[in-house]
Amino acid sequence: MSRLNKNKSTCSDGGASNESSASGKAGERVSHLDHEIAQLTRLRSSPHELLGRVVPGRMRLPASTVRMIVAREGNYSGRGRFSSADGCHVLSRYLPTKGPWIVDRMKSRAYVSQFSADGSLFIAGFQGSHIRVYDVDRGWKVKKDISARNLRWTITDTSLSPDQLYLVYASMSPVIYIVTVGSGTTESIANVTVYFSSDDHEDEFGIFSIKFSTDGKELVAGTSDSSICVYDLGADKLSLRIPAHRNDVNTVCFADESGHLIYSGSDDSFCKVWDRRCFVARGQPAGILMGHLEGITFIDSRGDGRYLISNGKDQTTKLWDIRKMSSNAINLGLGDDEWDYRWMDYPEYARNLKHPHDQSLATYKGHSVLRTLVRCYFSPSYSTGQKYIYTGSSDSSVYIYDLVSGARVAKLDHHEAPVRDCSWHPYYPMMITSAWDGDIVRWEFPGSDEAPAPPNKRAGRVRRRNMLYM
């Protein structure tokens, strides 16, 4: 695994700061995040002053659900209804921790699992050349059973178009496939083939991350040749290729609905911000965010064009504000070129190391980012006000952290293999987790009338640690 010593760009500088750090251990006192995002989170998830008041002049938070309903019915706030922040304050207290209930059980590793934007569909991608689309509103009936074509190693990523009619999937090859999801038949194969590489090194080229733009007209991809590619679907051509990093680009996403800003994360340990409006003139990133000591496995945007979180192979999740980005980047790493996260544990001495120029706002610890490109996310805006972040983990669990305090508020245990992906329903207290044990499981509050699944004990399972992980 290569190490990067120095990388320079010519964009404007930003300050370096790390204002909060959290260990992620339940019950441990942690420093609270003292930043604008903390106030924004409180505004999104705190009740009206009169709804949370115990006696005149004194509030007690969190306000009980009963007290808030009584206050609403009494029209204490003068609005006669809950605001979105009032609703978030109620819903965010009911975490999806009851269960689990089995949605599906496959004989191959699950790599991708995501709800659609409206929560009506759920997509799961497996190493065994299968992608399944479930109809959530019809009892998790399989709406589409897609056989992946020319799969190389595994499904690395999928993305559903904004109109939910098309699904794109990628693997460790230069080709992505687009499938029609809106048709009536269950069985399906790729309808459209898109090539992201036409050079002589196609055997070494792979796509780690693929995303539809918010208008559905473009695809952005992160590739194994250190590039970001933007494909114009209308023109049917590659419209932009950015030599973005010094190593694999494991994750890309759009910063907001405008589509102007793109975030990228790489094995070179940097998160980068790209402004497409000025890239042609400058050919450089708008800025670089440094703080991770090892490669980035995933990035999730808060959707406001300002904040993002990233998972790193240094076993941390970090919160970033792009206004703190800089033009100079220094990679420190462990200084151990032999360490490989795919089959080696993270060195104990490295767990307390800190980047001297860490620009992140907060660091969350407790989960494990090994074996595979583990993903992390902000909790839903509608039901929680994005007051939590959650992540899979190679220790077979899912962790939920409070964004502001950094405290671990929940840990979901069922799987017997790394949890690469997980997805919180955009409106309901429901979460789906998927792992390399092949299980797709559902967690809810308050739960279902069904009996939860028994502990996952599968006879005859053999874990191979000496094979290639990703």
Side-chain angles (χ1 to χ4, degrees), residues 48-111:
H48 189 279
E49 178 185 4
L50 296 177
L51 297 183
R53 183 175 292 177
V54 181
V55 295
R58 183 159 61 92
M59 289 185 68
R60 178 185 296 168
L61 296 178
S64 77
T65 302
V66 172
R67 179 181 292 114
M68 289 193 63
I69 292 175
V70 169
R72 182 192 66 184
E73 296 304 304
N75 197 20
Y76 290 9
S77 67
R79 292 188 300 244
R81 58 178 177 81
F82 279 162
S83 67
S84 60
D86 296 334
C88 282
H89 186 74
V90 173
L91 289 173
S92 65
R93 298 179 63 187
Y94 303 110
L95 298 178
T97 58
K98 307 294 183 181
W101 291 271
I102 300 295
V103 172
D104 206 348
R105 178 166 280 171
M106 301 290 283
K107 294 181 179 180
S108 63
R109 296 170 176 172
Y111 271 75

Side-chain angles (χ1 to χ4, degrees), residues 146-159:
I146 302 166
S147 296
R149 294 173 54 188
N150 301 321
L151 187 68
R152 186 181 294 172
W153 177 243
T154 186
I155 302 291
T156 54
D157 203 7
T158 64
S159 182

Side-chain angles (χ1 to χ4, degrees), residues 347-401:
E348 283 299 324
Y349 76 86
R351 293 184 181 275
N352 295 321
L353 294 180
K354 183 178 177 181
H355 198 297
H357 305 291
D358 189 353
Q359 296 167 303
S360 64
L361 301 179
T363 300
Y364 308 86
K365 298 181 180 180
H367 59 292
S368 177
V369 186
L370 298 169
R371 315 292 179 251
T372 186
L373 302 178
V374 176
R375 299 182 170 193
C376 62
Y377 302 94
F378 288 97
S379 63
S381 176
Y382 175 84
S383 59
T384 71
Q386 296 180 303
K387 69 178 294 184
Y388 305 113
I389 63 173
Y390 63 103
T391 176
S393 179
S394 58
D395 66 4
S396 310
S397 301
V398 173
Y399 291 75
I400 304 176
Y401 300 104

Side-chain angles (χ1 to χ4, degrees), residues 174-187:
V175 184
I176 63 103
Y177 298 95
I178 302 177
V179 183
T180 301
V181 176
S183 64
T185 59
T186 301
E187 301 294 328

Side-chain angles (χ1 to χ4, degrees), residues 407-462:
R408 192 188 82 199
V409 297
K411 179 172 177 276
L412 309 182
D413 293 314
H414 163 78
H415 297 283
E416 287 195 325
V419 179
R420 189 179 192 268
D421 207 357
C422 45
S423 188
W424 196 318
H425 193 283
Y427 301 111
Y428 300 117
M430 174 194 297
M431 184 182 292
I432 306 296
T433 62
S434 62
W436 279 9
D437 58 13
D439 280 3
I440 307 294
V441 301
R442 185 179 84 248
W443 306 80
E444 295 180 355
F445 185 94
S448 169
D449 293 334
E450 312 164 55
N456 190 352
K457 301 293 183 183
R458 295 187 179 187
R461 172 177 293 145
V462 177

